[in-house]
Amino acid sequence: MIGQLEQLLGQLDTLLARAIEELGPINTSADLDDWDTRYLGRNRGELKSLSSVMPKLSKEERPVVGQKINEVKKELERHLKEKREELKQRELMLALEQERIDVTLPGRALPAGTMHPISRTIQEVTDIFVRMGFSVLQGLEVENDYHNFQALNIPTDHPARDMQDTFWIAPGEVLLRTQTSPMQIRTMEQYQPPIRVVVPGKVYRNEDIDATHEAMFHQIEGLLIDEVCTMADLKGCLERFAHEMFGPERRLRFRGSYFPFTEPSAEVDISCGLCNGKGCRSCKYSGWLEVLGSGMVHPNVLRNVGYDPKKYRGFAFGMGVERIAMLKYGIGEIRLFSGNDLRFLRQL
Ligand code: 2U9
């Protein structure tokens, strides 16, 4: 019996020595897990197999073998823990080495964008009016019938009020503004004269789309209200704008026209920059290009916001931003502005 006990103890020593020897070359967590299962595994581990002889041992032998098994187990666990720590450290060092970052490297530059030609034109136009003392205001794109039409003296039978030409949200009540003028009405409702504002922004019209018309485009409208204000002030102001925007050699021509919100009204042409007014293909041989509309604010509009038309008068004007940009940069197609084609955008 003694021989069998010694043999068992010897087997446990051999097991321990073999396990430690095999542990040496292991250098991955996966191999270490295998080793753990092979020696310490609860079901088929080698230590467990040797322990299975315990019930066959005598009362005296059992504690001796039991103690030995515990010692071997503890020793194996200690080695396993050390090895795990070693591998963890090694894997960390490897990761640090592989993921090393050179913090002194210069960063990758992001491509610099440029301002969209419409935003740039709005900036250029409003800057000119700001230098003349105007403030810049932006309004609402969703408006009501009163501010977009009624307050502006647009009669119910006016073509602009045609249900087909306006994008209605609630027919007859709420709409996408067809001009930026409702913001001037709101400004006058809120403030007393003198008033000098320019209002740039998107406007919407249910139109057939072609090279010069889009359903959404941009407008800049201006309004000046004061006790003293004449058509001469309007002409001087727009002439100053045209000279700064297009060059001091350009001339303006005022043609009588009709708008419900101004009386008298005038459409404004600028001398053609290509032929200097002599006539060419670009100006359809007329020497002139239409740039904006203008007029003296209609007394009904002043009354609608509670101003006394005997005390106050004013001028107003409006222009299409796309049209101004097309004239300034020689662009023949309005759809390019909303097309997001970088080849077009990079040219400007
Ligand atoms: C108020 C009173 C009057 C704004 C004006 C025009 C003439 C005009 C067009 C130019 C090209 C619109 O974008 S376009 O199609 N505009 O001709 N606009 S006077 O008159 C106002 C505005 C607000 C309270």
Side-chain angles (χ1 to χ4, degrees):
M1 241 10 226
I2 293 297
Q4 197 186 354
L5 175 67
E6 278 169 353
Q7 194 184 349
L8 202 53
L9 295 176
Q11 277 177 327
L12 282 163
D13 279 334
T14 317
L15 175 93
L16 178 62
R18 179 155 51 86
I20 292 171
E21 198 183 319
E22 277 180 26
L23 199 59
I26 287 179
N27 54 20
T28 69
S29 294
D31 286 350
L32 188 60
D33 289 341
D34 278 352
W35 181 94
D36 184 11
T37 322
R38 194 147 22 94
Y39 289 105
L40 287 161
R42 275 165 178 267
N43 293 326
R44 273 183 296 234
E46 291 202 25
L47 199 58
K48 187 80 187 165
S49 320
L50 282 179
S51 314
S52 64
V53 298
M54 285 282 275
K56 292 182 198 148
L57 300 175
S58 68
K59 253 190 189 168
E60 297 76 33
E61 289 167 336
R62 240 178 260 165
V64 182
V65 175
Q67 196 188 348
K68 183 73 181 173
I69 286 175
N70 267 343
E71 278 170 22
V72 172
K73 191 175 174 214
K74 272 201 186 122
E75 193 63 1
L76 287 177
E77 281 171 348
R78 189 176 64 77
H79 276 87
L80 176 67
K81 197 173 161 211
E82 267 175 22
K83 190 73 184 183
R84 271 215 197 286
E85 201 48 49
E86 183 193 319
L87 285 189
K88 207 171 121 191
Q89 207 57 31
R90 194 184 306 173
E91 276 161 14
L92 177 70
M93 295 314 284
L94 205 71
L96 283 176
E97 190 54 42
Q98 281 171 351
E99 294 162 23
R100 182 192 287 266
I101 296 168
D102 182 354
V103 291
T104 65
L105 275 178
R108 275 184 211 108
L110 288 174
T114 54
M115 223 170 168
H116 189 278
I118 291 302
S119 307
R120 215 171 92 184
T121 307
I122 289 175
Q123 189 77 59
E124 284 172 5
V125 172
T126 53
D127 276 356
I128 294 169
F129 286 104
V130 165
R131 289 199 289 275
M132 287 193 261
F134 286 75
S135 302
V136 183
L137 288 180
Q138 283 183 307
L140 315 163
E141 285 177 37
V142 175
E143 264 294 357
N144 56 38
D145 183 275
Y146 177 77
H147 287 94
N148 195 84
F149 292 132
Q150 287 176 50
L152 284 154
N153 198 38
I154 299 175
T156 34
D157 59 351
H158 193 273
R161 286 192 86 149
D162 192 322
M163 297 307 255
Q164 310 301 317
D165 294 337
T166 303
F167 288 111
W168 289 95
I169 290 168
E173 287 173 30
V174 183
L175 47 83
L176 291 180
R177 67 177 177 191
T178 58
Q179 51 212 0
T180 58
S181 338
M183 188 54 195
Q184 285 94 291
I185 296 291
R186 288 180 184 280
T187 308
M188 291 193 286
E189 284 171 346
Q190 208 181 337
Y191 301 100
Q192 286 303 302
I195 281 178
R196 269 178 269 171
V197 288
V198 276
V199 185
K202 289 185 171 68
V203 298
Y204 301 84
R205 289 187 192 171
N206 197 355
E207 286 188 311
D208 288 339
I209 290 160
D210 61 29
T212 52
H213 296 88
E214 279 239 69
M216 184 281 291
F217 63 101
H218 298 76
Q219 266 192 354
I220 297 176
E221 286 191 334
L223 175 74
L224 181 146
I225 309 280
D226 212 331
E227 285 181 22
V228 181
C229 173
T230 70
M231 196 88 183
D233 297 311
L234 167 67
K235 289 182 78 176
C237 178
L238 292 182
E239 218 152 64
R240 175 66 170 272
F241 159 69
H243 288 162
E244 294 211 15
M245 190 71 190
F246 297 101
E249 72 289 353
R250 307 291 279 269
R251 283 161 290 127
L252 286 189
R253 177 175 84 171
F254 288 72
R255 263 184 302 112
S257 186
Y258 170 78
F259 304 113
F261 29 81
T262 47
E263 183 60 36
S265 305
E267 277 174 81
V268 185
D269 301 335
I270 190 168
S271 56
C272 177
L274 286 181
C275 62
N276 196 21
K278 289 185 191 69
C280 66
R281 220 167 75 105
S282 164
C283 58
K284 299 203 186 87
Y285 302 99
S286 72
W288 297 95
L289 300 155
E290 196 181 316
V291 269
L292 41 84
S294 66
M296 302 306 290
V297 178
H298 197 292
N300 286 350
V301 175
L302 296 174
R303 261 189 289 269
N304 286 340
V305 295
Y307 288 180
D308 178 0
K310 290 210 175 72
K311 187 169 180 203
Y312 297 115
R313 62 219 70 225
F315 67 69
F317 55 88
M319 63 189 95
V321 179
E322 280 79 355
R323 183 164 174 75
I324 298 287
M326 286 164 85
L327 287 173
K328 179 144 184 177
Y329 301 111
I331 298 160
E333 168 61 75
I334 197 171
R335 286 166 286 196
L336 285 167
F337 293 113
S338 54
N340 285 338
D341 188 333
L342 288 177
R343 289 170 304 178
F344 165 70
L345 295 172
R346 284 199 180 111
Q347 279 181 50
L348 293 166

